[in-house]
Amino acid sequence: MGGMTLRKILLHPDPRLKAKADPIGSVDTELRALADDMLETMYDAPGIGLAAPQIGILQRMLVMDCVKDENASPEPMVLINPEIIGQSDELNVYDEGCLSIPDQYAEVERPAVVKVKWTGLDGKEVQEEFDGLWATCVQHEIDHLNGKLFIDHLKPLKRQMITRKMQKLKRELAREAKNG
Ligand code: NI
């Protein structure tokens, strides 16, 4: 432990959340430290997934841990340059939320099972199949790397409603920060 820093999570709307993140060239000490910070920030929030663009870093890395049972061991995962290489025809609907869009939830339909390829923190390529909440989460986080939010899967009216609520929240937070 030690040296981990909680990072500030960007709130929608923010242009950095709409940008496509860059591929990561090599896994080095700096990147491993960033992964530690991201996991720490995700657990602290608390959330089950966090993508680097959400802390303003436009690189293709995400962290997740979808173990919901507090008595079960945590399963922190770090995915570098993740890519979906297969998906089921079967779909699954989940009431999604996002650390960049606090307190807003909506049902999103996605493939129920996905096969994902990525580079691990040891620099080695990994392939794994995800289902259940893990499948929803990994797709949601990979969307972030492509500048896409879960609300982009919704009908425009619903998306605009959530965005307006977020604009209001950000104005309130800015006012509070100003007034101390
Ligand atoms: Ni999110």
Side-chain angles (χ1 to χ4, degrees), residues 17 49-51 54 96-101 110 137 140-141 143-144 148-150:
L17 294 172
L50 184 72
Q54 289 182 275
E96 293 189 26
C98 180
L99 292 176
S100 295
I101 314 177
R110 302 179 186 270
C137 186
H140 174 121
E141 300 309 329
D143 270 358
H144 273 300
K148 194 168 182 180
L149 303 170
F150 82 89

Short mmCIF file of all heavy atoms in Angstrom, two decimals, residues 17 49-51 54 96-101 110 137 140-141 143-144 148-150, ligand 1:
data_model
loop_
_atom_site.label_atom_id
_atom_site.label_comp_id
_atom_site.label_asym_id
_atom_site.label_seq_id
_atom_site.Cartn_x
_atom_site.Cartn_y
_atom_site.Cartn_z
N LEU A 17 -15.15 13.30 -21.23
CA LEU A 17 -15.94 12.06 -21.17
C LEU A 17 -16.51 11.69 -22.55
O LEU A 17 -17.08 10.62 -22.72
CB LEU A 17 -17.09 12.20 -20.17
CG LEU A 17 -16.67 12.36 -18.69
CD1 LEU A 17 -17.88 12.69 -17.83
CD2 LEU A 17 -15.99 11.09 -18.19
N GLY A 49 -16.87 -0.13 -11.28
CA GLY A 49 -16.02 0.03 -12.46
C GLY A 49 -15.62 1.48 -12.62
O GLY A 49 -16.34 2.39 -12.20
N LEU A 50 -14.43 1.69 -13.20
CA LEU A 50 -13.96 3.05 -13.46
C LEU A 50 -13.01 3.00 -14.66
O LEU A 50 -12.12 2.15 -14.72
CB LEU A 50 -13.22 3.60 -12.22
CG LEU A 50 -12.75 5.05 -12.30
CD1 LEU A 50 -13.93 6.03 -12.22
CD2 LEU A 50 -11.76 5.37 -11.18
N ALA A 51 -13.22 3.92 -15.59
CA ALA A 51 -12.36 3.99 -16.76
C ALA A 51 -11.48 5.24 -16.64
O ALA A 51 -11.92 6.26 -16.09
CB ALA A 51 -13.20 4.05 -18.04
N GLN A 54 -12.56 8.86 -16.98
CA GLN A 54 -13.39 9.42 -15.91
C GLN A 54 -12.58 10.20 -14.88
O GLN A 54 -13.15 10.95 -14.09
CB GLN A 54 -14.17 8.31 -15.19
CG GLN A 54 -15.28 7.70 -16.04
CD GLN A 54 -16.03 6.64 -15.27
OE1 GLN A 54 -15.61 5.49 -15.23
NE2 GLN A 54 -17.12 7.03 -14.63
N GLU A 96 -28.50 0.53 -15.10
CA GLU A 96 -27.12 1.01 -14.98
C GLU A 96 -27.03 2.39 -14.34
O GLU A 96 -27.94 3.20 -14.46
CB GLU A 96 -26.45 1.06 -16.37
CG GLU A 96 -26.26 -0.33 -16.95
CD GLU A 96 -25.40 -0.32 -18.22
OE1 GLU A 96 -24.57 0.57 -18.40
OE2 GLU A 96 -25.58 -1.27 -19.01
N GLY A 97 -25.91 2.60 -13.70
CA GLY A 97 -25.57 3.90 -13.18
C GLY A 97 -24.13 4.17 -13.54
O GLY A 97 -23.50 3.36 -14.22
N CYS A 98 -23.59 5.32 -13.14
CA CYS A 98 -22.22 5.67 -13.52
C CYS A 98 -21.67 6.66 -12.50
O CYS A 98 -22.39 7.58 -12.10
CB CYS A 98 -22.23 6.29 -14.92
SG CYS A 98 -20.59 6.78 -15.51
N LEU A 99 -20.41 6.49 -12.11
CA LEU A 99 -19.81 7.40 -11.13
C LEU A 99 -19.73 8.83 -11.68
O LEU A 99 -19.65 9.78 -10.91
CB LEU A 99 -18.42 6.91 -10.72
CG LEU A 99 -18.40 5.60 -9.90
CD1 LEU A 99 -16.97 5.17 -9.63
CD2 LEU A 99 -19.18 5.75 -8.61
N SER A 100 -19.76 8.98 -13.01
CA SER A 100 -19.73 10.32 -13.60
C SER A 100 -21.13 10.91 -13.76
O SER A 100 -21.27 12.06 -14.19
CB SER A 100 -19.03 10.28 -14.97
OG SER A 100 -17.66 9.94 -14.80
N ILE A 101 -22.14 10.09 -13.42
CA ILE A 101 -23.53 10.56 -13.52
C ILE A 101 -24.25 10.11 -12.23
O ILE A 101 -25.15 9.28 -12.26
CB ILE A 101 -24.24 9.98 -14.78
CG1 ILE A 101 -23.33 10.13 -16.01
CG2 ILE A 101 -25.58 10.66 -15.00
CD1 ILE A 101 -23.91 9.53 -17.28
N ARG A 110 -27.80 -4.87 -23.33
CA ARG A 110 -26.49 -5.18 -23.94
C ARG A 110 -26.39 -6.70 -24.10
O ARG A 110 -27.13 -7.44 -23.44
CB ARG A 110 -25.34 -4.75 -23.02
CG ARG A 110 -25.31 -3.27 -22.64
CD ARG A 110 -24.12 -3.03 -21.72
NE ARG A 110 -24.06 -1.68 -21.19
CZ ARG A 110 -23.43 -0.66 -21.76
NH1 ARG A 110 -22.82 -0.82 -22.90
NH2 ARG A 110 -23.40 0.53 -21.18
N CYS A 137 -20.81 -4.52 -16.84
CA CYS A 137 -19.80 -3.58 -16.37
C CYS A 137 -18.67 -3.41 -17.39
O CYS A 137 -18.30 -2.28 -17.72
CB CYS A 137 -19.25 -4.05 -15.02
SG CYS A 137 -18.13 -2.87 -14.27
N HIS A 140 -19.88 -1.37 -20.31
CA HIS A 140 -20.08 0.03 -19.88
C HIS A 140 -18.73 0.76 -19.83
O HIS A 140 -18.60 1.89 -20.31
CB HIS A 140 -20.77 0.02 -18.51
CG HIS A 140 -20.94 1.35 -17.85
ND1 HIS A 140 -22.18 1.85 -17.50
CD2 HIS A 140 -20.03 2.29 -17.45
CE1 HIS A 140 -22.01 3.04 -16.93
NE2 HIS A 140 -20.72 3.32 -16.88
N GLU A 141 -17.72 0.08 -19.25
CA GLU A 141 -16.40 0.72 -19.09
C GLU A 141 -15.68 0.87 -20.42
O GLU A 141 -15.01 1.88 -20.66
CB GLU A 141 -15.54 -0.05 -18.09
CG GLU A 141 -16.13 -0.16 -16.68
CD GLU A 141 -16.56 1.17 -16.07
OE1 GLU A 141 -15.95 2.21 -16.39
OE2 GLU A 141 -17.54 1.18 -15.30
N ASP A 143 -17.14 1.28 -23.24
CA ASP A 143 -17.83 2.43 -23.85
C ASP A 143 -17.14 3.74 -23.44
O ASP A 143 -16.95 4.63 -24.27
CB ASP A 143 -19.28 2.49 -23.37
CG ASP A 143 -20.24 1.71 -24.28
OD1 ASP A 143 -19.79 1.15 -25.30
OD2 ASP A 143 -21.45 1.69 -23.96
N HIS A 144 -16.78 3.85 -22.16
CA HIS A 144 -16.12 5.08 -21.67
C HIS A 144 -14.84 5.36 -22.48
O HIS A 144 -14.52 6.52 -22.73
CB HIS A 144 -15.72 4.94 -20.20
CG HIS A 144 -16.79 5.33 -19.22
ND1 HIS A 144 -17.34 6.58 -19.18
CD2 HIS A 144 -17.40 4.62 -18.23
CE1 HIS A 144 -18.25 6.64 -18.20
NE2 HIS A 144 -18.31 5.46 -17.62
N LYS A 148 -18.24 7.12 -24.89
CA LYS A 148 -19.68 6.83 -24.85
C LYS A 148 -20.13 6.58 -23.42
O LYS A 148 -19.47 5.84 -22.68
CB LYS A 148 -19.95 5.60 -25.72
CG LYS A 148 -21.41 5.38 -26.03
CD LYS A 148 -21.57 4.32 -27.13
CE LYS A 148 -23.05 4.14 -27.47
NZ LYS A 148 -23.26 3.14 -28.51
N LEU A 149 -21.25 7.18 -23.04
CA LEU A 149 -21.81 7.00 -21.70
C LEU A 149 -23.05 6.13 -21.77
O LEU A 149 -23.64 5.99 -22.84
CB LEU A 149 -22.17 8.37 -21.11
CG LEU A 149 -21.03 9.37 -21.03
CD1 LEU A 149 -21.55 10.76 -20.65
CD2 LEU A 149 -19.99 8.91 -20.01
N PHE A 150 -23.47 5.57 -20.62
CA PHE A 150 -24.65 4.68 -20.68
C PHE A 150 -25.89 5.44 -21.14
O PHE A 150 -26.77 4.86 -21.78
CB PHE A 150 -24.88 3.97 -19.33
CG PHE A 150 -25.61 4.75 -18.27
CD1 PHE A 150 -26.99 4.70 -18.18
CD2 PHE A 150 -24.92 5.52 -17.35
CE1 PHE A 150 -27.68 5.40 -17.19
CE2 PHE A 150 -25.60 6.24 -16.37
CZ PHE A 150 -26.97 6.19 -16.29
NI NI B 1 -19.57 4.87 -16.04
#
